[in-house]
Amino acid sequence: MILATKLYFMMKFVIGALFPSMLFTLFRTTRSTGTTSTDDIGNPTCPGSPSWQHAKCSMITIFPKGTTCNLVQTEITSRILGVNGWTDPHNHGTYTLLNQVENQEENMTQITGSRLTGDGKYTDIFIFTLEDSPTNENGCILRGCSESQVFSVLDFSTNYCNLRSLYCNNDVDGCPIVKENFTYEETFVACRQNDASQCFTSDLTIGDSDEEIR
């Protein structure tokens, strides 16, 4: 049983990295009859990176009951597209929507995007997978993963901010929003650096290292 489980997640990771849209038809998120926990959800799909050593952030965000994935998806894509003049609070990076795949049968949506750093030097790629909770205890379940595409060890929470800036709220977090002020809980799967205060360094300072202004 243990071996079979390891093989399952290994296959899921490989296929998710190479063919993200195939996850919708080949694998289903584990479902539970009780309260949804991160153990029931499965790991986020990551975009992969050509660099053998790179920073990343993989995490799961659960929204409360009543917050549908349609609301979350609309807010995320609106921020990516800069609706109503929305701008990235983290060093004025530039987001691009690369792909959006919906699977009505699985009731899942996958968003793939990129973020160009404020200094125009680096591009990170991220994937969000959204699925409404199979129970009545929670709302939307958002699995996200952002990866640097070049050699990097420390990113000063950049990959975390790449994800968080697209759904964080204004009331508590102080984030710029397009419309929705979400409440949520974050669980980190593989995200060594996750300092939310780093997501608001909006001014580039002469003399900062490349890693510091990502």
Side-chain angles (χ1 to χ4, degrees):
M1 179 63 70
I2 295 177
L3 178 59
T5 302
K6 288 183 177 180
L7 288 174
Y8 169 82
F9 282 107
M10 185 180 298
M11 291 173 61
K12 188 174 182 181
F13 174 80
V14 172
I15 293 175
L18 298 177
F19 310 101
S21 62
M22 289 180 63
L23 281 178
F24 289 145
T25 55
L26 294 181
F27 296 98
R28 298 188 179 187
T29 299
T30 303
R31 299 184 182 274
S32 170
T33 56
T35 302
T36 303
S37 70
T38 53
D39 291 335
D40 299 323
I41 296 170
N43 291 327
T45 298
C46 292
S49 173
S51 176
W52 67 273
Q53 174 65 53
H54 61 278
K56 67 180 286 188
C57 179
S58 174
M59 58 190 289
I60 298 169
T61 305
I62 297 180
F63 297 83
K65 183 178 179 179
T67 303
T68 66
C69 283
N70 184 55
L71 286 176
V72 177
Q73 175 187 352
T74 299
E75 182 69 18
I76 287 176
T77 55
S78 294
R79 295 188 193 187
I80 291 174
L81 298 174
V83 173
N84 295 337
W86 186 89
T87 57
D88 176 21
H90 183 221
N91 295 330
H92 305 297
T94 301
Y95 283 94
T96 301
L97 181 63
L98 300 178
N99 192 24
Q100 190 167 222
V101 179
E102 295 187 19
N103 187 302
Q104 296 181 352
E105 181 180 348
E106 297 291 337
N107 194 29
M108 298 173 70
T109 301
Q110 190 174 85
I111 299 170
T112 304
S114 66
R115 177 184 174 273
L116 177 67
T117 53
D119 59 4
K121 291 183 178 181
Y122 304 104
T123 298
D124 302 323
I125 298 179
F126 59 87
I127 292 178
F128 282 119
T129 303
L130 304 90
E131 180 182 17
D132 285 311
S133 173
T135 73
N136 292 323
E137 300 295 328
N138 300 291
C140 184
I141 297 170
L142 178 69
R143 289 171 285 169
C145 183
S146 175
E147 292 190 276
S148 301
Q149 298 300 295
V150 296
F151 180 89
S152 56
V153 178
L154 302 177
D155 69 350
F156 296 88
S157 299
T158 292
N159 280 288
Y160 169 55
C161 296
N162 290 346
L163 304 173
R164 183 180 186 272
S165 294
L166 295 177
Y167 60 79
C168 56
N169 62 59
N170 180 261
D171 290 344
V172 177
D173 303 327
C175 295
I177 65 172
V178 173
K179 182 179 180 181
E180 303 295 338
N181 257 313
F182 296 123
T183 57
Y184 55 86
E185 285 188 13
E186 296 175 331
T187 299
F188 301 111
V189 178
C191 190
R192 291 174 55 196
Q193 296 187 294
N194 49 68
D195 182 359
S197 69
Q198 294 293 318
C199 301
F200 297 97
T201 52
S202 58
D203 294 316
L204 302 183
T205 301
I206 296 175
D208 284 345
S209 69
D210 288 343
E211 289 288 355
E212 290 175 332
I213 60 177
R214 285 171 56 82

